[in-house]
Amino acid sequence: MIPLVDLKLQYHNIKIEIDEAIQTVLNEAAFYKGRHVREFEENFRDYLGVNHCVGVANCTDALQLALHAVGVKPGSEIITAANTFIATSEAISAVGAEPAFVDIDLTTYNIDLHKIESKITEHTAAIIPVHLNGRAIDMDEILRIARKHHLYVIEDCAQACGAEWKGRRVGTIGDIGCFSFYPGKNLGAYGDGGALVTDNEEYARYLRMAADHGREEKYVHEFEGMSSRLDGIQAAILNVKLKYLDKWNECRYDNAWIYNNNLNDAEGIISPSFPPPSKRESHVFHVFLVRVKNRDMVFRLMKGAGIEVGMHYPNILPCQPAYSRQGYRNEFQEFPNATRVAEECLSLPMYPELSGKQIKYIASTLKEIVGKNEE
Ligand SMILES: *Cc1c(COP(=O)(O)O)cnc(C)c1O
């Protein structure tokens, strides 16, 4: 079986360093706050090239904290993409705001920059661009729209850790950047973890307090916050893994080219990554997505052939039961591109350690299955 992501193999390759890092935390009992968390915050800050980093428990909390930090009020509307993971919109609802979903663009599968302004109302407070699948969004255009309409920009970088837009790492371009260290992400911990980054000192101070029960001093709570911590063991693991992140992301990009070279002229298989973007930094390939007709059948047959495939994501958010309050009935009319991608998307195995031979096997199997399907 070729897995979608192979975390065992990755651990095996860095086992000595990881085991030592975990043992150090155990010996020091540095489980909470402590030097490993501080070191990771500094390392991640320097890696991204930003002034402040606050470690938190996960990216969903990070997004919620970021919305609070910029002062989003209940009743506000927040613009985001219709095809993101629900964490983005959960954070919006959690602060009492309402997600305003926007269709996607069929060349990037990210939010359609031309459709954002039609969703802006007097209640709109912020945009959450989601660098989906690992592909950096055109942040010049996002910032232009945000400045014109006086909106905050909170980047959801959960799938794009290390990606760059014109020489700047994503997450450092908007007001606040939010990251996930869920194990399967490009920089994954061995449990949950997340981070917030910003150049704004005031936000950073607020975020650090808000993630820790609204306090700076142990027994003084200036306001009610959350209990959202990056723990010492995860931070120590992330300190080891961060050193490899750029190399791993380059391997993902090279793998995307092997997929391209073996699939781009195949009948019935399309992808926004045929060919991969010419700037390697702009796409860190968290997911390698293709589109096929009869997707559910192809999905089953691929699994049957020993290849684990995924779907990112088969149902668009505005039409999920959780958002029935928004009353969308005809998703094709409102979100034609996101709906088509949801119906046809298939994620192929993608991780740094995947070999060229495996990719060729995956590609030939997919071509065979799709070819039969077309007959
Ligand atoms: C994974 C993910 C999140 C949530 O991250 P957690 O750390 O699991 O809370 C948010 N947004 C996107 C786009 C994601 O893929």
Side-chain angles (χ1 to χ4, degrees):
M1 186 81 174
I2 302 179
L4 194 56
V5 178
D6 196 338
L7 298 177
K8 269 190 213 160
L9 180 57
Q10 191 191 62
Y11 167 62
H12 204 78
N13 290 340
I14 52 172
K15 181 178 180 345
I16 296 171
E17 279 180 278
I18 293 281
D19 290 0
E20 191 186 302
I22 294 174
Q23 195 59 53
T24 306
V25 179
L26 300 181
N27 291 340
E28 296 170 1
F31 304 122
Y32 164 60
K33 290 188 174 174
R35 77 174 173 101
H36 303 280
V37 175
R38 221 168 38 243
E39 276 168 30
F40 175 70
E41 288 175 342
E42 288 168 12
N43 291 339
F44 196 53
R45 186 192 71 193
D46 295 346
Y47 170 82
L48 294 175
V50 66
N51 288 340
H52 306 279
C53 170
V54 178
V56 291
N58 56 66
C59 183
T60 313
D61 283 2
L63 288 160
Q64 190 181 328
L65 287 161
L67 289 166
H68 275 305
V70 298
V72 167
K73 298 275 177 305
S76 304
E77 293 165 12
I78 313 292
I79 304 269
T80 198
N83 65 337
T84 180
F85 181 57
I86 193 169
T88 319
S89 46
E90 274 175 334
I92 294 170
S93 302
V95 303
E98 191 64 21
F101 295 111
V102 177
D103 198 18
I104 61 167
D105 163 328
L106 281 185
T107 56
T108 63
Y109 292 17
N110 273 324
I111 194 165
D112 187 334
L113 299 163
H114 303 291
K115 292 184 184 163
I116 291 177
E117 286 191 284
S118 68
K119 295 274 178 152
I120 294 175
T121 72
E122 60 187 303
H123 304 294
T124 308
I127 306 177
I128 305 187
V130 184
H131 304 283
L132 213 65
N133 301 325
R135 185 171 198 141
I137 294 182
D138 178 344
M139 288 303 292
D140 294 347
E141 189 57 15
I142 293 283
L143 292 185
R144 188 192 66 77
I145 296 168
R147 286 199 187 108
K148 183 170 157 199
H149 298 274
H150 307 286
L151 307 176
Y152 295 101
V153 175
I154 293 164
E155 294 178 74
D156 182 340
C157 307
Q159 299 193 2
C161 193
E164 290 181 7
W165 173 253
K166 292 194 178 162
R168 292 173 75 186
R169 303 266 192 197
V170 300
T172 68
I173 305 165
D175 294 291
I176 301 178
C178 302
F179 290 85
S180 172
F181 306 125
Y182 172 83
K185 299 284 158 85
N186 287 28
L187 178 61
Y190 292 164
D192 281 306
L196 287 140
V197 302
T198 181
D199 278 329
N200 182 311
E201 193 171 343
E202 222 172 289
Y203 292 157
R205 180 171 175 269
Y206 170 85
L207 291 167
R208 194 169 288 289
M209 292 176 71
D212 186 27
H213 305 291
R215 69 185 162 191
E216 225 159 24
E217 287 173 59
K218 186 159 185 184
Y219 297 113
V220 182
H221 303 275
E222 288 186 31
F223 57 91
E224 290 178 329
M226 288 171 75
S227 175
S228 189
R229 293 184 274 270
L230 178 65
D231 73 70
I233 290 180
Q234 302 310 335
I237 291 164
L238 290 167
N239 273 325
V240 172
K241 292 183 74 174
L242 181 59
K243 292 183 293 187
Y244 295 97
L245 180 61
D246 281 343
K247 200 181 91 193
W248 285 335
N249 283 343
E250 284 182 21
C251 292
R252 288 172 181 271
Y253 182 86
D254 293 340
N255 287 345
W257 267 103
I258 306 178
Y259 271 125
N260 173 76
N261 297 345
N262 286 275
L263 285 175
N264 77 341
D265 54 2
E267 192 84 19
I269 304 172
I270 43 183
S271 171
S273 303
F274 295 160
S278 57
K279 278 207 165 37
R280 74 160 51 224
E281 305 77 19
S282 70
H283 202 327
V284 293
F285 285 98
H286 176 60
V287 169
F288 192 88
L289 193 152
V290 294
R291 274 165 60 201
V292 293
K293 296 267 187 290
N294 296 325
R295 189 267 324 276
D296 292 347
M297 194 182 81
V298 176
F299 181 90
R300 274 196 311 277
L301 292 174
M302 287 293 280
K303 286 215 156 169
I307 297 165
E308 195 190 351
V309 284
M311 295 179 253
H312 291 83
Y313 297 98
N315 299 299
I316 64 168
L317 285 179
C319 301
Q320 290 278 0
Y323 299 102
S324 58
R325 63 174 185 262
Q326 296 204 348
Y328 286 113
R329 291 224 166 68
N330 188 343
E331 62 260 44
F332 269 109
Q333 208 171 331
E334 279 286 336
F335 308 99
N337 297 340
T339 306
R340 270 184 72 188
V341 171
E343 285 180 351
E344 299 178 353
C345 67
L346 188 73
S347 320
L348 303 180
M350 175 51 94
Y351 46 92
E353 301 81 4
L354 195 63
S355 71
K357 209 172 132 201
Q358 285 174 311
I359 297 173
K360 284 176 193 151
Y361 172 69
I362 296 163
S364 64
T365 309
L366 180 64
K367 274 196 280 199
E368 205 181 297
I369 290 171
V370 170
K372 278 198 195 120
N373 197 358
E374 297 255 305
E375 277 166 19

